[in-house]
Amino acid sequence: MFATPAYAQAAGAAQSGSTAGAIVSLLPLVLIFVVFYFLMIRPQQKRMKDLQNAVQGVKKGDTVVTAGGLIGKVTKVDETEVEIELGTNVKVRAIKSTLAEVRPLGGGKPAND
C-alpha cells in the first residue's frame, strides 16, 4: 500500500528522458505543421496576392464579381472605388476591396456554336 523510498527513486529516474527522445516526440508535430504550410497556407497566400494584384489592376471593360455575388462590367475606376454596370442603365459603385474576382476584358470562354 505504501511505496518505499527505493521504489519512488527508481520511478523518478525512469521518467527523466534524454533530449533525443523529446525531439523524436515533437517531430510528428513539426511534420504536420510543414505539411499544412505547403498544402494550405502557402497556396492561400498566393491566391490572395493574385487577387490583390488583379483588383489593383482593374480597368474599364473588365467583368467583376463582388463579394455579394453581383456580376457586372466596370465602367469607371477610381483609386478606391469602381462603378459597375449590372444591366442596361443600372450602375452601382463598389469599393475595390469588396471585389471577389476580376475577369479581364475578352478573357471569357467562346460560345459553343
Side-chain angles (χ1 to χ4, degrees):
M1 187 153 117
F2 293 106
T4 64
Y7 288 134
Q9 289 175 356
Q15 291 292 331
S16 64
S18 65
T19 58
I23 292 173
V24 170
S25 67
L26 288 177
L27 189 62
L29 293 175
V30 172
L31 184 65
I32 289 171
F33 178 75
V34 169
V35 168
F36 270 114
Y37 177 77
F38 282 107
L39 293 180
M40 296 179 72
I41 297 170
R42 191 170 176 215
Q44 179 65 22
Q45 287 176 341
K46 185 180 182 313
R47 280 192 297 269
M48 290 302 296
K49 184 178 177 183
D50 292 344
L51 177 62
Q52 287 175 349
N53 290 338
V55 167
Q56 291 302 319
V58 70
K59 59 187 179 298
K60 184 177 177 179
D62 289 347
T63 301
V64 295
V65 180
T66 66
L70 299 174
I71 302 173
K73 186 182 245 182
V74 176
T75 58
K76 182 178 165 186
V77 179
D78 291 335
E79 269 187 50
T80 58
E81 297 178 354
V82 293
E83 187 174 272
I84 304 169
E85 184 176 9
L86 301 175
T88 307
N89 295 327
V90 179
K91 294 182 180 180
V92 295
R93 287 184 0 194
I95 298 174
K96 278 186 176 182
S97 62
T98 63
L99 299 179
E101 184 180 347
V102 178
R103 300 175 187 163
L105 179 63
K109 297 179 186 176
N112 272 343
D113 288 333

